[in-house]
Amino acid sequence: MTVVPFSLECRSTECKARCATLTTLHGPVQTPVFMPVGTRASVKAMTPENLAEIGAQIILGNTYHLYLRPGHELIRSFGGLHRFMHWQQPILTDSGGFQIFSLRELAKISEEGAAFRSHIDGTRLFLSPENAIQIQEALGSDIMMALDTCIPYPATRDQAVQATDLTARWARRCRAAQTDTGQLLFGIVQGGMYADLRLEAIEELQAIGFDGYALGGLSVGEPKELMIEMLAATTDHLPVHQARYLMGVGTPEDLVEGVYHGIDMFDCVMPTRNARNGMLFTSQGRLVIKNACFQDDQRPLDESCGCYTCRHFSRAYLRHLFQSREILSYQLNSIHNLYYYCSLMAGMRDAIKEDRFMTFRRNFYDQRIDPLAHTNE
């Protein structure tokens, strides 16, 4: 019997928010879900046990970086990423398209693929759609991403057309290169900030046929209002009974609005990157732990938070660790931020199941003071 990878279980009667189960080789994922980013087979400052304890269901690794170091053949020799990094729950691997985009001064894009120099040692390398699939199959991720060409902002319509068409041709080659490993393969919708191009891209990708569909090329410098406009214009045109993934997004507000518009999956480096920079997410907004007002503050970061950090440590201690550049600061801050993100998603799942998502959304904003009110800026 064929297993349907995405089972839609309930939908809000008030908006497009929905809950589903995504079935993978390493277990089910309850959506909507946030995926902590473990680019190089490690979520920064977090052990696999930390990740399990904060409620992470699935994490993300990156094809480009793992291809460069330590190499996919080495990881294959360990039986894949799961055994290599001691994480037995699902993993999604990005194809490397965004990294080639972000390091585009080192890359040359052609019909065949991307020729680039390693940012580590300058070695000449080449990544084609076929290579991207072969590498991800060696990594053994549960969800692979098709290789795409990300479009910068701003971009002319002609630039967007050319890149979107190339992404579609590469997507077809990725699907053809896939072998029978049981791994899922998602296509990526590009189109820049042109809604009609994105709708055409969705049609092309559906004609090829993928296990899920991602919205790429958003949160690349465009105004937030434009990102939401593109999201609203395209999500309804994605297949109802397949996963919808908004790549590289974002803030807690972005997650709430993404779920409101019918998105199932998210990833972003923000919770861990901000943690290392001393910015913490709380139910009332952002808190910058270095500020002098926390020097003798005995309260936890967030009195409504149940994470390990908030159960055991004061703001004063966390400020001390950060000011002293103690390694423990990065771990405790990361535990808190990722717990906050995973708990936010769990709260949204419960609200959708109980058909009270709009009340949840309203309360989310009502609880928040000025996002930077905890700073001295």
Side-chain angles (χ1 to χ4, degrees):
M1 185 176 73
T2 302
V3 175
V4 177
F6 188 79
S7 175
L8 188 59
E9 293 163 355
C10 59
R11 286 188 276 188
S12 169
T13 62
E14 305 169 310
C15 65
K16 300 169 186 175
R18 58 205 220 141
C19 280
T21 298
L22 177 64
T23 301
T24 77
L25 290 172
H26 286 83
V29 176
Q30 305 301 316
T31 70
V33 66
F34 177 81
M35 300 179 285
V37 176
T39 300
R40 298 173 178 85
S42 170
V43 178
K44 292 188 187 305
M46 299 285 287
T47 67
E49 289 76 16
N50 291 153
L51 290 168
E53 287 165 7
I54 59 102
Q57 301 182 68
I58 175 173
I59 63 173
L60 182 145
N62 185 264
T63 298
Y64 170 87
H65 288 285
L66 295 173
Y67 171 50
L68 295 185
R69 188 167 57 193
H72 60 292
E73 292 299 345
L74 173 65
I75 294 173
R76 189 203 299 272
S77 73
F78 278 81
L81 267 178
H82 296 84
R83 182 166 173 262
F84 186 63
M85 65 181 294
H86 179 53
W87 173 256
Q88 293 309 313
Q89 292 175 244
I91 298 174
L92 179 149
T93 45
D94 194 359
S95 63
F98 182 79
Q99 282 64 42
I100 292 170
F101 159 77
S102 61
L103 299 168
R104 53 192 178 275
E105 68 278 3
L106 301 174
K108 182 177 180 181
I109 307 295
S110 69
E111 185 67 35
E112 288 307 307
F116 60 96
R117 288 184 178 274
S118 164
H119 69 282
I120 297 171
D121 59 12
T123 302
R124 290 181 182 273
L125 298 163
F126 188 80
L127 187 64
S128 70
E130 292 79 10
N131 296 148
I133 296 301
Q134 290 161 5
I135 294 166
Q136 290 180 86
E137 289 188 344
L139 297 176
S141 54
D142 297 84
I143 304 172
M144 306 183 291
M145 301 302 299
L147 186 64
D148 65 326
T149 51
C150 192
I151 301 168
Y153 177 83
T156 66
R157 185 177 180 85
D158 185 57
Q159 290 172 327
V161 166
Q162 290 185 39
T164 303
D165 289 347
L166 182 58
T167 291
R169 294 194 295 274
W170 282 4
R172 193 172 296 278
R173 289 166 58 189
C174 284
R175 193 50 146 168
Q178 184 183 14
T179 64
D180 188 17
T181 60
Q183 294 164 277
L184 304 178
L185 178 60
F186 284 16
I188 303 177
V189 177
Q190 289 291 346
M193 300 303 149
Y194 301 92
D196 61 321
L197 295 184
R198 286 188 171 269
L199 298 187
E200 290 175 14
I202 290 171
E203 288 184 11
E204 293 232 16
L205 292 175
Q206 285 191 73
I208 299 167
F210 287 93
D211 300 303
Y213 296 86
L215 297 179
L218 295 176
S219 194
V220 292
E222 78 278 9
K224 185 61 63 71
E225 298 77 16
L226 184 54
M227 184 190 82
I228 295 296
E229 179 185 330
M230 290 298 104
L231 185 61
T234 54
T235 306
D236 274 349
H237 297 270
L238 293 169
V240 172
H241 294 284
Q242 287 175 287
R244 302 164 174 174
Y245 168 26
L246 179 56
M247 303 181 76
V249 176
T251 66
E253 294 84 359
D254 291 338
L255 270 56
V256 171
E257 293 310 301
V259 170
Y260 172 78
H261 285 287
I263 295 296
D264 306 303
M265 303 170 68
F266 304 83
D267 81 280
C268 190
V269 298
M270 185 172 286
T272 45
R273 179 177 289 170
N274 282 21
R276 298 192 303 278
N277 292 325
M279 180 176 281
L280 291 309
F281 295 99
T282 77
S283 58
Q284 294 186 323
R286 297 176 180 88
L287 181 153
V288 179
I289 198 62
K290 71 180 180 181
N291 288 339
C293 59
F294 302 123
Q295 184 172 351
D296 57 2
D297 193 331
Q298 298 187 24
R299 294 174 295 168
L301 288 171
D302 188 337
E303 291 176 309
S304 65
C305 179
C307 80
Y308 174 83
T309 303
C310 287
R311 294 199 315 271
H312 297 286
F313 303 102
S314 66
R315 296 177 181 185
Y317 181 67
L318 295 171
R319 179 180 184 275
H320 158 68
L321 292 180
F322 185 78
Q323 293 295 90
S324 302
R325 292 185 168 83
E326 287 289 339
I327 293 172
L328 183 59
S329 171
Y330 305 141
Q331 184 177 31
L332 294 179
N333 289 354
S334 297
I335 286 172
H336 170 78
N337 274 359
L338 284 174
Y339 181 95
Y340 173 81
Y341 268 59
C342 290
S343 296
L344 177 64
M345 304 310 294
M348 285 194 277
R349 289 195 298 272
D350 288 343
I352 296 166
K353 291 173 184 176
E354 296 166 12
D355 205 13
R356 53 177 179 82
F357 181 80
M358 294 305 287
T359 298
F360 177 96
R361 180 171 176 255
R362 184 167 56 252
N363 290 341
F364 169 81
Y365 287 110
D366 286 347
Q367 289 175 19
R368 304 176 85 72
I369 55 179
D370 182 330
L372 293 178
H374 287 297
T375 77
N376 290 335
E377 297 170 5

